[in-house]
Amino acid sequence: MKNIAIKKHNIITLLVILSFYAYLSKMITGSDAFLAISVFIAIIVIPIFVVTSKDKVNIFYLSMMVLSILVVILSSFFSRSYDEISAFVGIIYVATSCSLCWAINESGKELFIARMCFYAFFIYTLPFFIINNIVNPDGYNDILAGASRNIVSAIFILLSCFHMAAYIKENNKYPILVQLISFICCFMLFGRSGILISFIILSISLVNSFKKTTSFTIILIIGAALAYFIYDIQDYVMTKTNFALGTDSPRSMMLDQYFSNMDLRSLLFGNEYLSCCNEIVRFENNPHNSFIMGHARYGIFHTLIIASLLAYTVIRARLIAVILFIIALTRYAVDQIGLFSPMDFTLLYLAFCMKK
């Protein structure tokens, strides 16, 4: 019986990785066939193996999963900016991310899964970094089908948060290599939010991975190097990255338009892009903000779900999980990357699998 249990855990691990790889293939090629494979594995095959491999099932987690899906179904009927197909896809995404998180926790190989997910994505993007370098920044927009380089940096950050959480949970230590790779990649992708957030994650790893004297020495060396190359760094950042555009951007205009034209009905059921936000319409109804997208699609119910998830994380999860959760939400606020999408399994893992 022990050998059978081990095999089932291995199968669960393999299914999680296959589902993620299928979704990654969907993002790379734009093919809905890969999305269908990912969803089929996540919401049909994985639950069968998870349930049959355990004597007891986490009723609370299943109840929260079903409740969230029901809320999404009901609230999507009132959407004023998205059609029924978009709502249906959102429901599938909720189920997929919940199932992936559930299976990751039950696999007993969270760190292995985290490494396989991160390094697979990194190995795929590596040729683009080698070919494009700083010669052709627009080439980074070809990494994923129909998605900009900002989405690429967002995926790096989410997978980096997932890896850090899994690593700390297993070893009670802070990793460095993955976070360093993530920061370098985000820096090469030129996005302001990606550079800042990945640097914060790397800084957390550095500070907690060394003794105080070693940390001070590293910070001193980095500070001296920055001071020595300050003018070259400033020229690169202000001319090659999105900092050249300043702090104002179309994203801030979208945010201002969405909330400045809101009445009670819009607050409850979501705003209508055509009547409130010509800046969002100009970008093909992409608000570049997961919270605006979620509110427009599901209304106040979406906001309540996210607030409840954050509150649960603060109350039940470890401090580092809360920090990473807030960092991930910060990245969600500057791109339409999740809430809801299969990548939300990172948030769910931080909330439910990093208990105090």
Side-chain angles (χ1 to χ4, degrees), residues 138-153:
D138 291 334
Y140 293 125
N141 291 320
D142 299 328
I143 294 178
L144 300 177
S148 68
R149 52 192 166 85
N150 294 319
I151 300 297
V152 179
S153 70

Side-chain angles (χ1 to χ4, degrees), residues 89-257:
V89 172
I91 296 166
I92 291 177
Y93 282 169
V94 172
T96 301
S97 58
C98 289
S99 180
L100 287 176
C101 174
W102 185 25
I104 290 170
N105 185 59
E106 300 297 340
S107 70
K109 297 185 178 181
E110 293 132 290
L111 181 55
F112 176 77
I113 293 174
R115 285 171 174 165
M116 293 296 291
C117 292
F118 180 87
Y119 284 113
F121 186 65
F122 171 64
I123 291 171
Y124 165 72
T125 59
L126 188 58
F128 290 91
F129 290 109
I130 296 174
I131 295 172
N132 294 318
N133 200 4
I134 60 175
V135 178
N136 181 28
D138 291 334
Y140 293 125
N141 291 320
D142 299 328
I143 294 178
L144 300 177
S148 68
R149 52 192 166 85
N150 294 319
I151 300 297
V152 179
S153 70
I155 294 174
F156 268 116
I157 288 172
L158 291 176
L159 294 179
S160 177
C161 289
F162 173 45
H163 176 270
M164 178 182 283
Y167 194 96
I168 294 172
K169 183 179 179 182
E170 181 170 311
N171 301 320
N172 202 28
K173 297 179 181 179
Y174 285 72
I176 295 179
L177 180 59
V178 165
Q179 283 60 39
L180 178 61
I181 293 174
S182 179
F183 169 69
I184 294 173
C185 292
C186 289
F187 190 83
M188 297 300 295
L189 289 165
F190 309 123
R192 291 168 295 187
S193 57
I195 293 173
L196 290 174
I197 295 175
S198 62
F199 179 73
I200 292 173
I201 298 173
L202 176 61
S203 300
I204 294 173
S205 294
L206 289 173
V207 171
N208 287 277
S209 297
F210 299 100
K211 296 180 180 179
K212 291 182 179 180
T213 53
T214 308
S215 299
F216 177 77
T217 303
I218 293 174
I219 293 173
L220 186 63
I221 293 173
I222 295 175
L226 290 175
Y228 183 80
F229 295 103
I230 186 65
Y231 292 109
D232 294 331
I233 294 173
Q234 182 181 11
D235 178 70
Y236 178 84
V237 170
M238 298 308 296
T239 59
K240 301 297 185 182
T241 73
N242 275 357
F243 281 102
L245 302 176
T247 56
D248 293 329
S249 67
R251 286 180 174 84
S252 59
M253 296 177 61
M254 294 176 186
L255 196 66
D256 179 67
Q257 289 180 0

